[in-house]
Amino acid sequence: MSRPLVVLGVTGGIAAYKSADLIRRLKDQDLDVQVIATNSALKFVGETTFAALSGKPVISDIWDKAHDVEHVNVAKNADAIVVAPATADFLAHLVYGFANDALLATLLVAKCPIILAPAMHTEMWENFATRENVATLRKRGFLVLEPAVGQLTGEDQGVGRLPDTTEIARVVKQVVNRKTSNLPKDLSGLNVLISAGGTREAIDPIRFIGNRASGKQGVALALSALSRGAKVTLVGANLNVAVPAGVEFVAANSALEMMEQMTLRAGSADIVIMNAAVADYFVPNPEESKIKKSTDKLNIELSKTGDILTVLSENKPVKQYLVGFAAETTNNNEELVGLSKTKLEKKKADLIVGNKVSASVGISSDENEAVLVTSNQAISLPKTDKLALADAIWDFIVKDLAKVGQERKSPVEPDLA
Ligand code: CTP
């Protein structure tokens, strides 16, 4: 069977040198790569480098194979297109439908999912024009990744770096695995609030008690909800993954901060998902200076944190749909359902997503499997990548939400058109 084809568009920014590595990372994900580079991109990296790494001639000139209408053929055969780096100038051209080079012409023809990884100076990224362009592109269904923070071209630091190439390749693979463009807009008009990641509790200014959660599943849930038309707020604790542009992001790195941010926002949400791995215990009085290794044994006194999910359910508006997670180290499905049911009843959520956690599945890995447990249902979802699992969880929520809405008389009415 032939491998899925990904078009890698490269535009003219300094991060173009990282696109060479991105070709490798896409190939690691079993994807075929066709590079389309703009003339400015080729001022940063030679055509030979792209051709050698991708194993295909680079497309750069719209006049090259006029008889073959290359940009139309490539656009039709691609399973996904990723533009990395995407410059501010390129985003602006895309918004206005320009087609004056091979990459823009290809994008104008393409019907497959398109991922954009912008990289530019902080001021350019934060400029009103760029913000508006990103918002417009997102509304049209482009998946725009949030740039990373760090060193930029020269001495300057800030937001605007190309996200890690392994991370971009992972997102591309997930998008290829499912048909993003086919997702129903069944969450349009709804406010969705999701917590993700793992909290850290300070011991002293340098050390903390933490967990292995990466935030991948919560970010996948946010991305899926965004694609389905929801307005999404993500309250994240120490995330290891890029937050998609278009998701409102709020940082909450400790259990206490997470409690504050979630309770502050939950009142106006139609659906709340507590996906974050929240510490059960914290250090009430962290040391103000670094603890020295002066004794053979060290005791640190811990106090219980407040249970956010329980607080949210106690204060929940009637129409709200509340989802919790249950991370369990069992290998037995029946036991997982039982443990999830206990959490469902104890914390009074509408749904508990029970997931198995081990070295290869669940926390911090790319794959997950789960059971969905409500007061009268228990459904198993097989092991798959976290974005596909997020889609399946939303499929279930949308259906259950309609039922629960009717039972509660004043229904939350998702747009099921
Ligand atoms: N949770 C929470 N506040 C906490 C701890 C957990 O809101 N202080 C939420 C999690 O986000 C998750 C659910 O409660 O949605 C279950 O979390 P989990 O860690 O699986 O269970 P715990 O309630 O902590 O119980 P235990 O660790 O004993 O299994």
Side-chain angles (χ1 to χ4, degrees):
M1 223 176 74
S2 66
R3 302 193 301 179
L5 176 69
V6 170
V7 168
L8 168 60
V10 187
T11 69
I14 182 64
Y17 81 93
K18 294 185 185 166
S19 311
D21 183 59
L22 180 55
I23 299 173
R24 278 268 157 85
R25 304 288 79 86
L26 290 166
K27 290 195 146 191
D28 289 347
Q29 297 280 358
D30 257 338
L31 299 166
D32 256 352
V33 183
Q34 168 67 62
V35 175
I36 305 184
T38 63
N39 287 335
S40 319
L42 295 178
K43 292 198 170 149
F44 288 95
V45 181
E47 199 168 328
T48 319
T49 306
F50 289 140
L53 288 168
S54 67
K56 292 188 201 314
V58 174
I59 301 172
S60 59
D61 191 340
I62 200 160
W63 305 107
D64 250 3
K65 287 195 187 163
H67 60 284
D68 203 28
V69 215
E70 211 174 14
H71 59 278
V72 175
N73 285 337
V74 171
K76 286 196 172 153
N77 291 332
D79 292 285
I81 299 178
V82 53
V83 184
T87 59
D89 178 70
F90 172 78
L91 297 176
H93 274 76
L94 198 54
V95 166
Y96 286 99
F98 281 96
N100 54 325
D101 65 27
L103 181 56
L104 286 164
T106 306
L107 288 181
L108 220 50
V109 175
K111 295 248 185 300
C112 62
I114 299 172
I115 301 136
L116 305 172
M120 60 196 75
H121 286 282
T122 308
E123 292 78 3
M124 289 171 118
W125 174 248
E126 287 173 351
N127 187 287
F128 188 69
T130 309
R131 304 305 306 160
E132 291 262 282
N133 289 338
V134 167
T136 305
L137 291 168
R138 196 185 65 70
K139 265 191 230 134
R140 291 182 198 163
F142 291 82
L143 169 55
V144 188
L145 300 181
E146 202 70 33
V149 178
Q151 189 176 4
L152 302 170
T153 320
E155 294 295 302
D156 46 345
Q157 300 262 341
V159 63
R161 269 168 75 88
L162 190 75
D164 182 60
T165 49
T166 309
E167 182 55 30
I168 299 175
R170 202 177 60 78
V171 173
V172 174
K173 176 71 171 184
Q174 288 185 333
V175 168
V176 168
N177 278 355
R178 67 175 192 159
K179 292 288 170 217
T180 321
S181 48
N182 292 343
L183 283 177
K185 293 280 179 247
D186 48 10
L187 292 175
S188 65
L190 296 185
N191 281 329
V192 168
L193 176 67
I194 301 171
S195 72
T199 64
R200 291 178 182 176
E201 312 308 320
I203 298 173
D204 70 14
I206 310 161
R207 283 73 164 239
F208 57 82
I209 300 171
N211 60 67
R212 290 183 201 279
S214 60
K216 285 178 189 162
Q217 187 62 71
V219 169
L221 282 162
L223 181 54
S224 179
L226 191 70
S227 313
R228 300 172 91 126
K231 182 176 173 300
V232 186
T233 305
L234 185 72
V235 176
N238 311 295
L239 302 182
N240 279 343
V241 280
V243 178
V247 169
E248 189 194 335
F249 177 70
V250 181
N253 292 326
S254 66
L256 196 62
E257 283 170 18
M258 174 85 48
M259 173 72 90
E260 274 170 18
Q261 295 301 336
M262 289 302 286
T263 47
L264 191 69
R265 288 172 168 76
S268 54
D270 299 297
I271 305 169
V272 177
I273 304 186
M274 267 308 295
N275 168 250
V278 185
D280 291 335
Y281 294 91
F282 75 113
V283 187
N285 298 306
E287 294 296 330
E288 276 173 21
S289 45
K290 187 183 166 203
I291 300 171
K292 293 289 181 190
K293 56 167 186 284
S294 48
T295 53
D296 283 345
K297 283 193 178 169
L298 176 69
N299 291 318
I300 299 174
E301 200 170 82
L302 303 176
S303 299
K304 217 172 186 177
T305 56
D307 194 278
I308 305 169
L309 188 55
T310 305
V311 172
L312 295 180
S313 78
E314 283 166 359
N315 295 287
K316 150 176 129 85
V318 189
K319 293 191 285 178
Q320 187 180 81
Y321 193 88
L322 182 61
V323 183
F325 269 69
E328 308 292 353
T329 45
T330 176
N331 228 343
N332 177 314
N333 251 19
E334 242 168 73
E335 196 184 345
L336 179 62
V337 170
L339 291 164
S340 304
K341 189 126 207 164
T342 308
K343 281 185 184 161
L344 181 88
E345 283 155 11
K346 193 166 155 209
K347 306 199 182 197
K348 299 195 172 54
D350 293 299
L351 165 67
I352 289 284
V353 181
N355 67 312
K356 294 180 187 170
V357 284
S358 68
S360 64
V361 81
I363 281 191
S364 90
S365 80
D366 285 340
E367 296 198 307
N368 212 355
E369 69 178 287
V371 292
L372 305 183
V373 178
T374 67
S375 56
N376 54 10
Q377 301 175 77
I379 291 168
S380 290
L381 300 176
K383 184 168 166 180
T384 179
D385 72 73
K386 287 184 171 174
L387 193 54
L389 190 79
D391 290 340
I393 294 172
W394 281 118
D395 286 342
F396 179 88
I397 292 177
V398 167
K399 279 199 210 116
D400 204 46
L401 182 64
K403 260 196 261 161
V404 170
Q406 274 167 5
E407 282 161 20
R408 290 180 193 160
K409 299 232 166 46
S410 41
V412 175
E413 284 168 8
D415 177 6
L416 292 169

